[in-house]
Amino acid sequence: MNWQTLLEEFDGQSKHIQLGGGKKAAVRQHEKGRLTARERIDRLLDDPNSWLEVGLWAAFGMYDEWGGCASASVICGVGRISGRDVMIIANDATIKAGAFFPMTCKKVLRAQRIAMHCRLPLVYLVDSAGVFLPLQDEIFPDEDDFGRIFRNNSVISAMGIPQLAAIMGNCVAGGGYLPVLCDKLIMTEGSGLYLAGPALVKSAIGQEVSHEDLGGAAMHASISGTIDYREPDDDAAISRVRELVGMFPPNTHADVFGRDEAAPAARPANEIYDAIPMEAQSRFDIRDLIKFLVDADSFSEYKAEYGKTIVCGYARIGGYRVGIVANQRQPVMSAEEGMQFGGVIYHDSADKEARFIMDCNQTWTPLLFLQDVFGFMVGRDSEHAGIIRAGAKVVNAISNSRVPKITIITGGSYGAGNYAMCGKAFDPRFIFAWPNAKYAVMGGKQAASTLLDVNIAAIKRSGREPDARELEELRERVTQAYETSTDIRYAAARLWVDGIITPGDTRETLIRTLGIVTRHVPDEPFRTGVLQV
C-alpha cells in the first residue's frame, strides 16, 4: 500500500462517518423542521476553514450490536463564531435521537477539558434523548461518566469561561442540567426540556400533561423562567447564538508565548509524501520531516551531538515559537557507545529530552512532540547506564510541564516510548496521528509471538499437543487480532487521539492548534518532583 491508497481509504471512511445516522435520518430531521448537527455548525461558523474537529473517529467500529454510533453521536470541535474561537459540542440527533453512549460521555468530557485548559468559550447545541438505556451501567455512575459533564459545567462557570446552550430538540432527564448550568440559554419552538417526559410522568404520578405544557419553549419562557431566549426555529436560534457569542471577550493571545512574523515552510506540503516513507520500519532523517512543518530557516537544534536518537530544537511554526522533541528514525553514532538504533530512546537521549523540556518551561515555549518510537533501549549495558533513571526524569518533566504540549504520532507509538513522547496520559492539549500510525504496548511481531506462546502453553496445559494446522490458524488469528487493535482507527475510536490528520495537513493543523493553546497562561510555577540524577 502507498500513501495515496491509504489516504483515499481514510478519506472515504471519514466522509461516511460525517453522514451520521445516514441520509434517511437526515430527512427525518428536516421533516421535523430541524437542521442536522453538522448543518447547524456550518451555519454558525464565520468560515468553515476555522473548524478543527475533535474526535471524528470516536466509537468507530464500536457498538455494532446496537447499530453503531458514528462519531459517538456528538460532534465536537473548535470553530470561529463572530470572530471568537469557541468549542462547539453538538448532539447528532440522526443517531439514536442523539442518545449518550459511553464514548459520547468521554468525547464531551475531552472537549470540555480542552476548553478549560485553553480558556475557550463553549457553545452546546442540545438535541438528545439522554442516556442510551441498554448501556446505562457504563454511562451513569463513574467519575468519567455522564455526571462529570455537569460537574465540569459548574467548574467552567466558576472559572469565568462563557458557556451558552441552545436547545434545538430533545433535552430530557439528567441531560436537562447541562443547558441550565450555562450562562445563557436559548430554546426553539417544538423543543422539550424536562426531567421526565409525559409518559414517564403519567407512569410515576398518574398526571396527564402535554409535551408543551410540561416542558415546551413557551412554558419555560413565560412560567418557569428557565430559558433566556425563545426562538421560532433553528435559523433564528443560530442567529441568536452568533449575536450572543459576539458579546464574549475577543480572542486572546498570552504575551509570554512569543509569536513572530510567519514564514512559509522550507518545503511545500505536497512533497511530504515523496520525502517521508509510509512503512513503519523505514529509515529517514527526522530533520527532513521538520522542514515541512516549521518556518524556513527557523529550526535551531539543541545538543545536536548528544543523545542523537531524539532530536530537540527551537523553531517557529506560523510564527509561533515552539520547542520540538522528535524521534530520529535512522541509526546514529554515539561518541561513547557507537551505533544506536533509530526510534529507540537511549539514556543519553532521555537525559537530553528531560533537560530540553525543563528549558522550554523556563522560557514559556510550547512543546511539540513528533512521536515515532519503539520504546526504551533494553539490555545490560542500558540498565548499567541508568535507563530507568533517565526515563523517570523525562516522565517527571513532562508530567509537571506548565507550557502547552501538542503531540503528533507520525509512525509507531509503542510501550513506555508513548509515555516519554507525551502520550495521551500526559495531558497534551491536542494529540493527532497520521493514518499509518500504530498504537500498542509493543510492536506487532513481538506481541503476536508472545501471545502465540501464551496460547500454545494454555493448550499444552490442557493435556494435548496442537498440530501444525491448528498452530497456523492460531497464529493467523492472534496476528489479525493484534493488528486490528494497533490500527490507529482503533485508538481514535477510543479517543486515545483527538483525530487522524494527513501528513500534508500537519503544518496547518499545528498553526491552528498553536493559536488555540497559547490563549492562556497557567498560574502554576514550573516545578518538578524528585529527580533521580
Side-chain angles (χ1 to χ4, degrees), residues 88-123:
I88 300 172
I89 300 174
N91 301 115
D92 189 344
T94 67
I95 304 165
K96 299 287 191 299
F100 273 68
F101 284 69
M103 289 308 301
T104 315
C105 294
K106 289 175 173 50
K107 184 170 173 179
V108 172
L109 291 172
R110 174 61 178 159
Q112 288 181 323
R113 280 195 298 274
I114 292 171
M116 282 192 278
H117 285 309
C118 301
R119 298 303 193 271
L120 281 167
L122 292 104
V123 168

PDB file of all heavy atoms in Angstrom, residues 88-123:
ATOM      1  N   ILE A  88     -17.359  23.949  20.241  1.00  0.00           N
ATOM      2  CA  ILE A  88     -18.754  23.603  19.942  1.00  0.00           C
ATOM      3  C   ILE A  88     -18.978  22.132  20.261  1.00  0.00           C
ATOM      4  O   ILE A  88     -18.181  21.277  19.865  1.00  0.00           O
ATOM      5  CB  ILE A  88     -19.086  23.885  18.461  1.00  0.00           C
ATOM      6  CG1 ILE A  88     -18.873  25.364  18.135  1.00  0.00           C
ATOM      7  CG2 ILE A  88     -20.523  23.472  18.143  1.00  0.00           C
ATOM      8  CD1 ILE A  88     -18.990  25.690  16.653  1.00  0.00           C
ATOM      9  N   ILE A  89     -20.059  21.844  20.971  1.00  0.00           N
ATOM     10  CA  ILE A  89     -20.460  20.475  21.297  1.00  0.00           C
ATOM     11  C   ILE A  89     -21.901  20.311  20.849  1.00  0.00           C
ATOM     12  O   ILE A  89     -22.804  20.940  21.402  1.00  0.00           O
ATOM     13  CB  ILE A  89     -20.311  20.198  22.807  1.00  0.00           C
ATOM     14  CG1 ILE A  89     -18.847  20.376  23.245  1.00  0.00           C
ATOM     15  CG2 ILE A  89     -20.819  18.801  23.150  1.00  0.00           C
ATOM     16  CD1 ILE A  89     -18.639  20.264  24.751  1.00  0.00           C
ATOM     17  N   ALA A  90     -22.120  19.508  19.805  1.00  0.00           N
ATOM     18  CA  ALA A  90     -23.442  19.401  19.183  1.00  0.00           C
ATOM     19  C   ALA A  90     -23.908  17.957  19.127  1.00  0.00           C
ATOM     20  O   ALA A  90     -23.255  17.107  18.502  1.00  0.00           O
ATOM     21  CB  ALA A  90     -23.400  19.988  17.774  1.00  0.00           C
ATOM     22  N   ASN A  91     -25.020  17.663  19.770  1.00  0.00           N
ATOM     23  CA  ASN A  91     -25.602  16.315  19.691  1.00  0.00           C
ATOM     24  C   ASN A  91     -26.076  16.025  18.273  1.00  0.00           C
ATOM     25  O   ASN A  91     -26.673  16.890  17.625  1.00  0.00           O
ATOM     26  CB  ASN A  91     -26.803  16.183  20.640  1.00  0.00           C
ATOM     27  CG  ASN A  91     -26.452  16.438  22.085  1.00  0.00           C
ATOM     28  OD1 ASN A  91     -26.930  17.394  22.683  1.00  0.00           O
ATOM     29  ND2 ASN A  91     -25.601  15.600  22.643  1.00  0.00           N
ATOM     30  N   ASP A  92     -25.837  14.816  17.798  1.00  0.00           N
ATOM     31  CA  ASP A  92     -26.294  14.401  16.471  1.00  0.00           C
ATOM     32  C   ASP A  92     -27.562  13.566  16.625  1.00  0.00           C
ATOM     33  O   ASP A  92     -27.502  12.367  16.926  1.00  0.00           O
ATOM     34  CB  ASP A  92     -25.200  13.599  15.761  1.00  0.00           C
ATOM     35  CG  ASP A  92     -25.539  13.319  14.299  1.00  0.00           C
ATOM     36  OD1 ASP A  92     -26.721  13.476  13.920  1.00  0.00           O
ATOM     37  OD2 ASP A  92     -24.635  12.931  13.545  1.00  0.00           O
ATOM     38  N   ALA A  93     -28.700  14.198  16.414  1.00  0.00           N
ATOM     39  CA  ALA A  93     -29.985  13.524  16.630  1.00  0.00           C
ATOM     40  C   ALA A  93     -30.317  12.512  15.541  1.00  0.00           C
ATOM     41  O   ALA A  93     -31.321  11.801  15.654  1.00  0.00           O
ATOM     42  CB  ALA A  93     -31.100  14.561  16.730  1.00  0.00           C
ATOM     43  N   THR A  94     -29.494  12.421  14.487  1.00  0.00           N
ATOM     44  CA  THR A  94     -29.744  11.398  13.466  1.00  0.00           C
ATOM     45  C   THR A  94     -29.271  10.027  13.933  1.00  0.00           C
ATOM     46  O   THR A  94     -29.507   9.022  13.255  1.00  0.00           O
ATOM     47  CB  THR A  94     -29.034  11.747  12.140  1.00  0.00           C
ATOM     48  OG1 THR A  94     -27.612  11.683  12.311  1.00  0.00           O
ATOM     49  CG2 THR A  94     -29.439  13.123  11.652  1.00  0.00           C
ATOM     50  N   ILE A  95     -28.603   9.965  15.083  1.00  0.00           N
ATOM     51  CA  ILE A  95     -28.104   8.695  15.630  1.00  0.00           C
ATOM     52  C   ILE A  95     -28.797   8.427  16.955  1.00  0.00           C
ATOM     53  O   ILE A  95     -28.528   9.092  17.959  1.00  0.00           O
ATOM     54  CB  ILE A  95     -26.573   8.751  15.837  1.00  0.00           C
ATOM     55  CG1 ILE A  95     -25.862   9.103  14.530  1.00  0.00           C
ATOM     56  CG2 ILE A  95     -26.056   7.416  16.370  1.00  0.00           C
ATOM     57  CD1 ILE A  95     -24.436   9.531  14.715  1.00  0.00           C
ATOM     58  N   LYS A  96     -29.715   7.484  16.960  1.00  0.00           N
ATOM     59  CA  LYS A  96     -30.441   7.103  18.178  1.00  0.00           C
ATOM     60  C   LYS A  96     -30.974   8.338  18.926  1.00  0.00           C
ATOM     61  O   LYS A  96     -30.890   8.433  20.148  1.00  0.00           O
ATOM     62  CB  LYS A  96     -29.522   6.297  19.113  1.00  0.00           C
ATOM     63  CG  LYS A  96     -28.991   5.001  18.517  1.00  0.00           C
ATOM     64  CD  LYS A  96     -30.076   3.948  18.441  1.00  0.00           C
ATOM     65  CE  LYS A  96     -29.513   2.565  18.097  1.00  0.00           C
ATOM     66  NZ  LYS A  96     -28.827   2.501  16.787  1.00  0.00           N
ATOM     67  N   ALA A  97     -31.497   9.300  18.165  1.00  0.00           N
ATOM     68  CA  ALA A  97     -32.060  10.533  18.740  1.00  0.00           C
ATOM     69  C   ALA A  97     -31.039  11.289  19.587  1.00  0.00           C
ATOM     70  O   ALA A  97     -31.391  11.997  20.534  1.00  0.00           O
ATOM     71  CB  ALA A  97     -33.313  10.221  19.562  1.00  0.00           C
ATOM     72  N   GLY A  98     -29.760  11.152  19.230  1.00  0.00           N
ATOM     73  CA  GLY A  98     -28.713  11.867  19.966  1.00  0.00           C
ATOM     74  C   GLY A  98     -28.417  11.286  21.327  1.00  0.00           C
ATOM     75  O   GLY A  98     -27.827  11.969  22.184  1.00  0.00           O
ATOM     76  N   ALA A  99     -28.782  10.027  21.549  1.00  0.00           N
ATOM     77  CA  ALA A  99     -28.582   9.417  22.862  1.00  0.00           C
ATOM     78  C   ALA A  99     -27.102   9.308  23.212  1.00  0.00           C
ATOM     79  O   ALA A  99     -26.238   9.199  22.340  1.00  0.00           O
ATOM     80  CB  ALA A  99     -29.226   8.028  22.897  1.00  0.00           C
ATOM     81  N   PHE A 100     -26.813   9.339  24.503  1.00  0.00           N
ATOM     82  CA  PHE A 100     -25.454   9.249  25.013  1.00  0.00           C
ATOM     83  C   PHE A 100     -25.037   7.787  25.174  1.00  0.00           C
ATOM     84  O   PHE A 100     -25.621   7.047  25.960  1.00  0.00           O
ATOM     85  CB  PHE A 100     -25.340   9.955  26.357  1.00  0.00           C
ATOM     86  CG  PHE A 100     -25.045  11.424  26.257  1.00  0.00           C
ATOM     87  CD1 PHE A 100     -25.990  12.306  25.734  1.00  0.00           C
ATOM     88  CD2 PHE A 100     -23.831  11.935  26.670  1.00  0.00           C
ATOM     89  CE1 PHE A 100     -25.725  13.660  25.641  1.00  0.00           C
ATOM     90  CE2 PHE A 100     -23.553  13.296  26.573  1.00  0.00           C
ATOM     91  CZ  PHE A 100     -24.508  14.153  26.053  1.00  0.00           C
ATOM     92  N   PHE A 101     -24.000   7.383  24.441  1.00  0.00           N
ATOM     93  CA  PHE A 101     -23.327   6.111  24.641  1.00  0.00           C
ATOM     94  C   PHE A 101     -22.128   6.356  25.565  1.00  0.00           C
ATOM     95  O   PHE A 101     -21.773   7.509  25.837  1.00  0.00           O
ATOM     96  CB  PHE A 101     -22.844   5.564  23.293  1.00  0.00           C
ATOM     97  CG  PHE A 101     -23.932   4.967  22.437  1.00  0.00           C
ATOM     98  CD1 PHE A 101     -24.925   5.767  21.871  1.00  0.00           C
ATOM     99  CD2 PHE A 101     -23.969   3.589  22.193  1.00  0.00           C
ATOM    100  CE1 PHE A 101     -25.923   5.222  21.081  1.00  0.00           C
ATOM    101  CE2 PHE A 101     -24.966   3.035  21.407  1.00  0.00           C
ATOM    102  CZ  PHE A 101     -25.939   3.847  20.849  1.00  0.00           C
ATOM    103  N   PRO A 102     -21.472   5.311  26.047  1.00  0.00           N
ATOM    104  CA  PRO A 102     -20.293   5.543  26.895  1.00  0.00           C
ATOM    105  C   PRO A 102     -19.251   6.450  26.251  1.00  0.00           C
ATOM    106  O   PRO A 102     -18.714   7.346  26.904  1.00  0.00           O
ATOM    107  CB  PRO A 102     -19.752   4.127  27.124  1.00  0.00           C
ATOM    108  CG  PRO A 102     -20.960   3.261  27.058  1.00  0.00           C
ATOM    109  CD  PRO A 102     -21.834   3.879  26.010  1.00  0.00           C
ATOM    110  N   MET A 103     -18.972   6.242  24.946  1.00  0.00           N
ATOM    111  CA  MET A 103     -17.967   7.078  24.297  1.00  0.00           C
ATOM    112  C   MET A 103     -18.463   8.499  24.076  1.00  0.00           C
ATOM    113  O   MET A 103     -17.656   9.428  23.940  1.00  0.00           O
ATOM    114  CB  MET A 103     -17.539   6.459  22.968  1.00  0.00           C
ATOM    115  CG  MET A 103     -16.687   5.201  23.087  1.00  0.00           C
ATOM    116  SD  MET A 103     -15.238   5.381  24.170  1.00  0.00           S
ATOM    117  CE  MET A 103     -14.365   6.729  23.379  1.00  0.00           C
ATOM    118  N   THR A 104     -19.773   8.701  24.050  1.00  0.00           N
ATOM    119  CA  THR A 104     -20.313  10.061  23.941  1.00  0.00           C
ATOM    120  C   THR A 104     -19.887  10.881  25.152  1.00  0.00           C
ATOM    121  O   THR A 104     -19.434  12.025  25.022  1.00  0.00           O
ATOM    122  CB  THR A 104     -21.841  10.036  23.846  1.00  0.00           C
ATOM    123  OG1 THR A 104     -22.263   9.036  22.925  1.00  0.00           O
ATOM    124  CG2 THR A 104     -22.385  11.385  23.423  1.00  0.00           C
ATOM    125  N   CYS A 105     -20.031  10.288  26.324  1.00  0.00           N
ATOM    126  CA  CYS A 105     -19.619  10.978  27.556  1.00  0.00           C
ATOM    127  C   CYS A 105     -18.143  11.327  27.513  1.00  0.00           C
ATOM    128  O   CYS A 105     -17.745  12.464  27.813  1.00  0.00           O
ATOM    129  CB  CYS A 105     -19.895  10.094  28.772  1.00  0.00           C
ATOM    130  SG  CYS A 105     -21.635   9.797  29.098  1.00  0.00           S
ATOM    131  N   LYS A 106     -17.329  10.351  27.132  1.00  0.00           N
ATOM    132  CA  LYS A 106     -15.880  10.591  27.128  1.00  0.00           C
ATOM    133  C   LYS A 106     -15.496  11.668  26.121  1.00  0.00           C
ATOM    134  O   LYS A 106     -14.577  12.457  26.351  1.00  0.00           O
ATOM    135  CB  LYS A 106     -15.145   9.278  26.864  1.00  0.00           C
ATOM    136  CG  LYS A 106     -15.231   8.311  28.046  1.00  0.00           C
ATOM    137  CD  LYS A 106     -14.617   6.973  27.763  1.00  0.00           C
ATOM    138  CE  LYS A 106     -14.574   6.106  29.015  1.00  0.00           C
ATOM    139  NZ  LYS A 106     -15.823   5.998  29.729  1.00  0.00           N
ATOM    140  N   LYS A 107     -16.202  11.714  25.001  1.00  0.00           N
ATOM    141  CA  LYS A 107     -15.891  12.717  23.989  1.00  0.00           C
ATOM    142  C   LYS A 107     -16.277  14.117  24.467  1.00  0.00           C
ATOM    143  O   LYS A 107     -15.511  15.077  24.279  1.00  0.00           O
ATOM    144  CB  LYS A 107     -16.617  12.376  22.682  1.00  0.00           C
ATOM    145  CG  LYS A 107     -16.282  13.295  21.534  1.00  0.00           C
ATOM    146  CD  LYS A 107     -16.847  12.758  20.233  1.00  0.00           C
ATOM    147  CE  LYS A 107     -16.675  13.730  19.081  1.00  0.00           C
ATOM    148  NZ  LYS A 107     -17.194  13.200  17.808  1.00  0.00           N
ATOM    149  N   VAL A 108     -17.440  14.261  25.075  1.00  0.00           N
ATOM    150  CA  VAL A 108     -17.855  15.563  25.607  1.00  0.00           C
ATOM    151  C   VAL A 108     -16.884  16.011  26.703  1.00  0.00           C
ATOM    152  O   VAL A 108     -16.478  17.174  26.762  1.00  0.00           O
ATOM    153  CB  VAL A 108     -19.296  15.508  26.141  1.00  0.00           C
ATOM    154  CG1 VAL A 108     -19.655  16.806  26.868  1.00  0.00           C
ATOM    155  CG2 VAL A 108     -20.272  15.254  24.999  1.00  0.00           C
ATOM    156  N   LEU A 109     -16.486  15.083  27.560  1.00  0.00           N
ATOM    157  CA  LEU A 109     -15.542  15.420  28.624  1.00  0.00           C
ATOM    158  C   LEU A 109     -14.198  15.869  28.054  1.00  0.00           C
ATOM    159  O   LEU A 109     -13.570  16.799  28.572  1.00  0.00           O
ATOM    160  CB  LEU A 109     -15.344  14.228  29.557  1.00  0.00           C
ATOM    161  CG  LEU A 109     -16.553  13.852  30.419  1.00  0.00           C
ATOM    162  CD1 LEU A 109     -16.301  12.550  31.159  1.00  0.00           C
ATOM    163  CD2 LEU A 109     -16.854  14.967  31.415  1.00  0.00           C
ATOM    164  N   ARG A 110     -13.743  15.207  26.983  1.00  0.00           N
ATOM    165  CA  ARG A 110     -12.486  15.615  26.345  1.00  0.00           C
ATOM    166  C   ARG A 110     -12.605  17.044  25.805  1.00  0.00           C
ATOM    167  O   ARG A 110     -11.706  17.858  25.987  1.00  0.00           O
ATOM    168  CB  ARG A 110     -12.131  14.640  25.219  1.00  0.00           C
ATOM    169  CG  ARG A 110     -10.924  15.034  24.375  1.00  0.00           C
ATOM    170  CD  ARG A 110      -9.650  15.126  25.197  1.00  0.00           C
ATOM    171  NE  ARG A 110      -8.491  15.462  24.371  1.00  0.00           N
ATOM    172  CZ  ARG A 110      -7.369  15.980  24.846  1.00  0.00           C
ATOM    173  NH1 ARG A 110      -7.229  16.224  26.142  1.00  0.00           N
ATOM    174  NH2 ARG A 110      -6.357  16.253  24.037  1.00  0.00           N
ATOM    175  N   ALA A 111     -13.724  17.340  25.153  1.00  0.00           N
ATOM    176  CA  ALA A 111     -13.929  18.689  24.621  1.00  0.00           C
ATOM    177  C   ALA A 111     -13.959  19.719  25.748  1.00  0.00           C
ATOM    178  O   ALA A 111     -13.392  20.818  25.619  1.00  0.00           O
ATOM    179  CB  ALA A 111     -15.228  18.736  23.821  1.00  0.00           C
ATOM    180  N   GLN A 112     -14.603  19.389  26.851  1.00  0.00           N
ATOM    181  CA  GLN A 112     -14.646  20.312  27.987  1.00  0.00           C
ATOM    182  C   GLN A 112     -13.257  20.538  28.580  1.00  0.00           C
ATOM    183  O   GLN A 112     -12.908  21.662  28.958  1.00  0.00           O
ATOM    184  CB  GLN A 112     -15.595  19.783  29.062  1.00  0.00           C
ATOM    185  CG  GLN A 112     -17.063  19.874  28.700  1.00  0.00           C
ATOM    186  CD  GLN A 112     -17.955  19.363  29.812  1.00  0.00           C
ATOM    187  OE1 GLN A 112     -17.629  18.387  30.501  1.00  0.00           O
ATOM    188  NE2 GLN A 112     -19.092  20.013  30.009  1.00  0.00           N
ATOM    189  N   ARG A 113     -12.449  19.463  28.652  1.00  0.00           N
ATOM    190  CA  ARG A 113     -11.095  19.612  29.194  1.00  0.00           C
ATOM    191  C   ARG A 113     -10.251  20.531  28.310  1.00  0.00           C
ATOM    192  O   ARG A 113      -9.492  21.369  28.813  1.00  0.00           O
ATOM    193  CB  ARG A 113     -10.412  18.249  29.338  1.00  0.00           C
ATOM    194  CG  ARG A 113     -10.834  17.481  30.578  1.00  0.00           C
ATOM    195  CD  ARG A 113      -9.890  16.346  30.874  1.00  0.00           C
ATOM    196  NE  ARG A 113      -9.859  15.354  29.814  1.00  0.00           N
ATOM    197  CZ  ARG A 113     -10.698  14.326  29.703  1.00  0.00           C
ATOM    198  NH1 ARG A 113     -11.662  14.176  30.610  1.00  0.00           N
ATOM    199  NH2 ARG A 113     -10.592  13.456  28.721  1.00  0.00           N
ATOM    200  N   ILE A 114     -10.348  20.354  27.002  1.00  0.00           N
ATOM    201  CA  ILE A 114      -9.615  21.243  26.099  1.00  0.00           C
ATOM    202  C   ILE A 114     -10.047  22.690  26.323  1.00  0.00           C
ATOM    203  O   ILE A 114      -9.215  23.604  26.396  1.00  0.00           O
ATOM    204  CB  ILE A 114      -9.835  20.829  24.632  1.00  0.00           C
ATOM    205  CG1 ILE A 114      -9.171  19.473  24.346  1.00  0.00           C
ATOM    206  CG2 ILE A 114      -9.303  21.892  23.681  1.00  0.00           C
ATOM    207  CD1 ILE A 114      -9.515  18.894  22.981  1.00  0.00           C
ATOM    208  N   ALA A 115     -11.343  22.900  26.436  1.00  0.00           N
ATOM    209  CA  ALA A 115     -11.862  24.254  26.654  1.00  0.00           C
ATOM    210  C   ALA A 115     -11.357  24.839  27.973  1.00  0.00           C
ATOM    211  O   ALA A 115     -10.995  26.023  28.042  1.00  0.00           O
ATOM    212  CB  ALA A 115     -13.389  24.240  26.625  1.00  0.00           C
ATOM    213  N   MET A 116     -11.321  24.034  29.013  1.00  0.00           N
ATOM    214  CA  MET A 116     -10.845  24.518  30.307  1.00  0.00           C
ATOM    215  C   MET A 116      -9.374  24.904  30.242  1.00  0.00           C
ATOM    216  O   MET A 116      -8.968  25.961  30.725  1.00  0.00           O
ATOM    217  CB  MET A 116     -11.075  23.458  31.387  1.00  0.00           C
ATOM    218  CG  MET A 116     -12.507  23.378  31.883  1.00  0.00           C
ATOM    219  SD  MET A 116     -12.694  22.386  33.387  1.00  0.00           S
ATOM    220  CE  MET A 116     -12.754  20.736  32.701  1.00  0.00           C
ATOM    221  N   HIS A 117      -8.548  24.030  29.654  1.00  0.00           N
ATOM    222  CA  HIS A 117      -7.109  24.295  29.584  1.00  0.00           C
ATOM    223  C   HIS A 117      -6.807  25.529  28.737  1.00  0.00           C
ATOM    224  O   HIS A 117      -5.905  26.305  29.055  1.00  0.00           O
ATOM    225  CB  HIS A 117      -6.375  23.090  28.997  1.00  0.00           C
ATOM    226  CG  HIS A 117      -6.236  21.942  29.941  1.00  0.00           C
ATOM    227  ND1 HIS A 117      -5.735  22.079  31.216  1.00  0.00           N
ATOM    228  CD2 HIS A 117      -6.514  20.610  29.791  1.00  0.00           C
ATOM    229  CE1 HIS A 117      -5.727  20.899  31.819  1.00  0.00           C
ATOM    230  NE2 HIS A 117      -6.191  20.005  30.981  1.00  0.00           N
ATOM    231  N   CYS A 118      -7.554  25.700  27.646  1.00  0.00           N
ATOM    232  CA  CYS A 118      -7.274  26.779  26.693  1.00  0.00           C
ATOM    233  C   CYS A 118      -8.148  28.008  26.916  1.00  0.00           C
ATOM    234  O   CYS A 118      -8.034  28.979  26.155  1.00  0.00           O
ATOM    235  CB  CYS A 118      -7.454  26.274  25.256  1.00  0.00           C
ATOM    236  SG  CYS A 118      -6.383  24.871  24.835  1.00  0.00           S
ATOM    237  N   ARG A 119      -9.010  27.962  27.928  1.00  0.00           N
ATOM    238  CA  ARG A 119      -9.937  29.065  28.223  1.00  0.00           C
ATOM    239  C   ARG A 119     -10.779  29.408  26.994  1.00  0.00           C
ATOM    240  O   ARG A 119     -10.946  30.577  26.624  1.00  0.00           O
ATOM    241  CB  ARG A 119      -9.197  30.295  28.734  1.00  0.00           C
ATOM    242  CG  ARG A 119      -8.446  30.102  30.046  1.00  0.00           C
ATOM    243  CD  ARG A 119      -9.376  29.638  31.170  1.00  0.00           C
ATOM    244  NE  ARG A 119      -8.763  29.746  32.485  1.00  0.00           N
ATOM    245  CZ  ARG A 119      -8.036  28.779  33.064  1.00  0.00           C
ATOM    246  NH1 ARG A 119      -7.844  27.631  32.432  1.00  0.00           N
ATOM    247  NH2 ARG A 119      -7.533  28.948  34.259  1.00  0.00           N
ATOM    248  N   LEU A 120     -11.351  28.384  26.381  1.00  0.00           N
ATOM    249  CA  LEU A 120     -12.220  28.554  25.218  1.00  0.00           C
ATOM    250  C   LEU A 120     -13.671  28.639  25.670  1.00  0.00           C
ATOM    251  O   LEU A 120     -14.142  27.768  26.420  1.00  0.00           O
ATOM    252  CB  LEU A 120     -12.083  27.361  24.269  1.00  0.00           C
ATOM    253  CG  LEU A 120     -10.878  27.304  23.348  1.00  0.00           C
ATOM    254  CD1 LEU A 120     -10.769  25.911  22.729  1.00  0.00           C
ATOM    255  CD2 LEU A 120     -10.986  28.353  22.244  1.00  0.00           C
ATOM    256  N   PRO A 121     -14.432  29.629  25.226  1.00  0.00           N
ATOM    257  CA  PRO A 121     -15.877  29.606  25.473  1.00  0.00           C
ATOM    258  C   PRO A 121     -16.497  28.361  24.852  1.00  0.00           C
ATOM    259  O   PRO A 121     -15.963  27.794  23.890  1.00  0.00           O
ATOM    260  CB  PRO A 121     -16.372  30.879  24.776  1.00  0.00           C
ATOM    261  CG  PRO A 121     -15.174  31.734  24.612  1.00  0.00           C
ATOM    262  CD  PRO A 121     -14.009  30.812  24.457  1.00  0.00           C
ATOM    263  N   LEU A 122     -17.622  27.928  25.397  1.00  0.00           N
ATOM    264  CA  LEU A 122     -18.307  26.745  24.889  1.00  0.00           C
ATOM    265  C   LEU A 122     -19.703  27.077  24.409  1.00  0.00           C
ATOM    266  O   LEU A 122     -20.421  27.862  25.047  1.00  0.00           O
ATOM    267  CB  LEU A 122     -18.406  25.662  25.962  1.00  0.00           C
ATOM    268  CG  LEU A 122     -17.095  25.008  26.388  1.00  0.00           C
ATOM    269  CD1 LEU A 122     -16.667  25.542  27.746  1.00  0.00           C
ATOM    270  CD2 LEU A 122     -17.212  23.503  26.443  1.00  0.00           C
ATOM    271  N   VAL A 123     -20.076  26.459  23.299  1.00  0.00           N
ATOM    272  CA  VAL A 123     -21.444  26.526  22.790  1.00  0.00           C
ATOM    273  C   VAL A 123     -21.951  25.094  22.671  1.00  0.00           C
ATOM    274  O   VAL A 123     -21.346  24.269  21.982  1.00  0.00           O
ATOM    275  CB  VAL A 123     -21.512  27.237  21.427  1.00  0.00           C
ATOM    276  CG1 VAL A 123     -22.884  27.030  20.791  1.00  0.00           C
ATOM    277  CG2 VAL A 123     -21.224  28.729  21.589  1.00  0.00           C
TER     278      VAL A 123
END
